[in-house]
Amino acid sequence: MAPSHEDARTLRVDAERNRVRIVEAAEAAFAEHGLDVPLEDVAEDAGVGIATLYRRFPSRDDLIAACFERRLEEYARAAEEALEAPDGWSGFQAYVERVCEMQAADRGLKDVLTRTFPNAKALEAHRRRGYDLSVLLIERAQAEGSLRPDFVLEDLVLLLMANAGVVQGSGESAPDAWRRFLGVMLDGCRTEGAAPLSSPPTPRQMMRAMRRLVRPTSATRSKT
């Protein structure tokens, strides 16, 4: 016998409720423990079985995309707002500080900003927009002479990778250590007193590096 209209509606409501609970539990777990938290723990925190989690999110990347699309949109919006700053340096500085603060506040976002997720189209679209706007921020600051002329987008990615390492390493013992690190790094970005740098990694090399950070099992249903 086919389910009644009311039964079908109840099933849809239950499914959506489970989805919301899974995403909320994953957001909390990713923020505290990073992207590699066991999905069994997420399911337990959500009050559902692991089979239910995989039914809603067949891969880890699917769950990550559901949790971080809004945060990646915020990342892109931060660049948009920085372009409205009165001068190039203050815009560039405010943007880098804001993104690094976002990394420090959310261990999952710290990882998302320095990895790629080719199968998460919406997530990657926000990342690409953020990157494109970052180029405009860099060019604006360089045009006014405040940002060293040899600074490239790959340097910004390296800075975020390094900040992620500081956040990871200092942890709760020194939660604001990233602020001092960033201050040192920003001073090194200024034109005044800048010494020549070695050649930067190529965009292709940086993309490979970001992909290497993705766990091989992230797109499978194997336990982690």
Side-chain angles (χ1 to χ4, degrees), residues 3 24 56 69 99 148 168:
E24 290 177 346
R56 302 299 301 176
E69 182 177 347
V99 175
R148 56 186 306 148
Q168 177 75 24

Side-chain angles (χ1 to χ4, degrees), residues 8-169:
R9 180 178 180 279
T10 299
L11 288 173
R12 288 196 299 271
V13 170
D14 288 344
E16 179 58 23
R17 184 183 300 115
N18 284 339
R19 183 186 184 282
V20 170
R21 290 165 65 182
I22 291 168
V23 170
E24 290 177 346
E27 286 177 340
F30 288 152
E32 183 176 359
H33 303 293
L35 298 184
D36 297 331
V37 63
L39 295 187
E40 289 81 0
D41 291 354
V42 173
E44 182 178 352
D45 291 343
V48 302
I50 190 64
T52 298
L53 184 149
Y54 280 128
R55 196 157 48 243
R56 302 299 301 176
F57 303 99
S59 75
R60 185 182 293 267
D61 282 7
D62 292 325
L63 183 55
I64 289 171
C67 291
F68 289 100
E69 182 177 347
R70 180 179 56 81
R71 298 303 306 278
L72 263 291
E73 184 178 7
E74 180 183 347
Y75 157 71
R77 190 165 58 250
E80 291 179 342
E81 294 173 358
L83 284 168
E84 299 175 0
D87 61 85
W89 177 259
S90 62
F92 174 80
Q93 181 180 24
Y95 171 68
V96 176
E97 287 178 347
R98 183 170 174 183
V99 175
C100 287
E101 186 172 22
M102 290 169 66
Q103 285 184 304
D106 188 327
R107 288 188 59 184
L109 184 66
K110 166 184 70 66
D111 295 336
V112 167
L113 287 175
T114 54
R115 299 187 187 184
T116 60
F117 302 90
N119 295 324
K121 303 302 182 183
L123 206 65
E124 290 303 307
H126 290 310
R127 184 203 305 282
R128 173 49 55 190
R129 176 158 177 75
Y131 279 5
D132 291 345
L133 293 172
S134 298
V135 171
L136 297 180
L137 284 168
I138 291 169
E139 291 175 345
R140 182 188 181 204
Q142 288 174 330
E144 74 177 17
S146 57
L147 178 63
R148 56 186 306 148
D150 54 356
F151 188 93
V152 293
L153 181 61
E154 288 69 41
D155 293 319
L156 179 58
V157 178
L158 287 173
L159 193 156
L160 294 180
M161 285 182 169
N163 187 63
V166 171
V167 171
Q168 177 75 24

